[in-house]
């Protein structure tokens, strides 16, 4: 990723960003994007237009082909980015608490497995009573709440949300969007929220 300084209060900047996959598919062409720190940006567009690819590039999961992409670093004890996918991707053999605390265990942070913070986050997403349950005992919406808490535990500077509620029914999706907004207003990480649902993007 070519290095460039972030200007002003930006968490993320792309200039002339192009990304062509190995097979020759051009997923991103000349993308210019500046995202203010602590803002909530929705990216809306039809399936296949390159939304997920943009998030993956920001996360450093796919290499860019040309242009520049500059992503702010995480501060001490803070990750630069966290990713929330459409599928909750929970480990079925670990408890809800064990899933939420997993990044603290893997990240070799000084405090190690942070059960206390995991419990606080479970409370934030309304699941304090389910800490010792297993993912298969939860509904799809609840599993997505666990996935959100797991992303939040690294205290990310940028949250990358790739159609996180796309697989849920309308009412559950609406509740989760409200909760997400409430948590964002409290913590003010920078959000890049991908959806193909126009009303969700407007909300
Ligand atoms: P969206 O998220 O908007 O649905 P994607 O970023 O997933 O779009 O895909 C953009 C384009 O890149 C599509 O044509 C898709 O087929 C292609 N693509 C996505 N991932 C890969 C990959 N790993 N290898 C090759 N092509 C890919």
């Amino acid at each position: 990723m070519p290095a460039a300084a972030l200007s002003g209060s930006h968490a993320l900047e792309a200039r002339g960003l192009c990304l062509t996959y190995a097979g020759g598919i051009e997923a991103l062409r000349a993308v210019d994007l500046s995202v203010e720190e602590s803002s909530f940006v929705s990216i809306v567009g039809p399936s296949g237009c390159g939304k997920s690819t943009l998030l993956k590039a920001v996360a450093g999961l796919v290499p860019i082909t040309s242009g520049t992409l500059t992503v702010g670093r995480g501060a001490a004890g803070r990750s630069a980015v966290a990713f929330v996918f459409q599928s909750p991707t929970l480990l079925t053999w670990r408890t809800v608490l064990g899933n939420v605390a997993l990044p603290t265990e893997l990240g070799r942070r000084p405090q190690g497995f942070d059960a206390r913070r995991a419990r606080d986050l479970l409370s934030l997403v309304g699941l304090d009573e389910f800490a010792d349950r297993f993912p298969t005992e939860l509904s799809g919406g609840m599993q997505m709440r666990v996935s959100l808490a797991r992303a939040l535990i690294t205290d990310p500077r940028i949250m990358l949300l790739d159609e996180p509620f796309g697989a849920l029914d309308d009412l559950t999706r609406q509740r989760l969007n409200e909760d997400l907004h409430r948590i964002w207003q409290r913590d003010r990480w920078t959000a890049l929220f991908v959806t193909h649902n126009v009303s969700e993007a407007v909300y």
Side-chain angles (χ1 to χ4, degrees), residues 41-78:
V41 175
S42 288
I43 300 171
V44 65
S47 185
C49 75
K51 306 181 296 298
S52 294
T53 300
L54 180 63
L55 292 201
K56 285 180 194 156
V58 171
L61 298 174
V62 288
I64 68 172
T65 310
S66 60
T68 61
L69 175 60
T70 314
V71 181
R73 291 175 196 279
R78 220 181 157 192

Side-chain angles (χ1 to χ4, degrees), residues 18-180:
C18 299
L19 195 152
T20 301
Y21 282 107
I25 292 179
E26 185 185 40
L28 300 174
R29 183 194 300 158
V31 175
D32 290 322
L33 178 71
S34 296
V35 178
E36 287 280 330
E37 187 91 54
S38 303
S39 59
F40 196 113
V41 175
S42 288
I43 300 171
V44 65
S47 185
C49 75
K51 306 181 296 298
S52 294
T53 300
L54 180 63
L55 292 201
K56 285 180 194 156
V58 171
L61 298 174
V62 288
I64 68 172
T65 310
S66 60
T68 61
L69 175 60
T70 314
V71 181
R73 291 175 196 279
R78 220 181 157 192
S79 67
V81 300
F83 220 121
V84 181
F85 301 96
Q86 181 170 340
S87 151
T89 64
L90 303 176
L91 301 178
T92 52
W93 63 92
R94 286 185 82 128
T95 63
V96 163
L97 184 88
N99 269 283
V100 173
L102 183 67
T104 63
E105 194 177 329
L106 299 176
R108 292 190 223 101
R109 291 148 66 99
Q111 64 270 41
F113 187 89
D114 198 341
R116 193 170 152 190
R117 184 157 162 72
R119 281 191 194 281
D120 286 349
L121 286 165
L122 279 174
S123 166
L124 184 70
V125 298
L127 289 179
D128 14 11
E129 288 165 28
F130 296 85
D132 300 321
R133 301 285 193 86
F134 287 89
T136 48
E137 299 176 80
L138 308 184
S139 69
M142 290 157 90
Q143 290 185 22
M144 193 44 77
R145 288 173 189 277
V146 176
S147 173
L148 266 182
R150 181 186 54 192
L152 291 168
I153 204 164
T154 61
D155 195 14
R157 190 166 170 193
I158 304 178
M159 279 278 271
L160 303 169
L161 301 131
D162 193 356
E163 307 229 20
F165 311 139
L168 304 175
D169 62 84
D170 280 352
L171 268 180
T172 308
R173 178 199 301 218
Q174 197 177 321
R175 283 210 199 100
L176 275 160
N177 270 318
E178 284 163 9
D179 283 346
L180 181 68

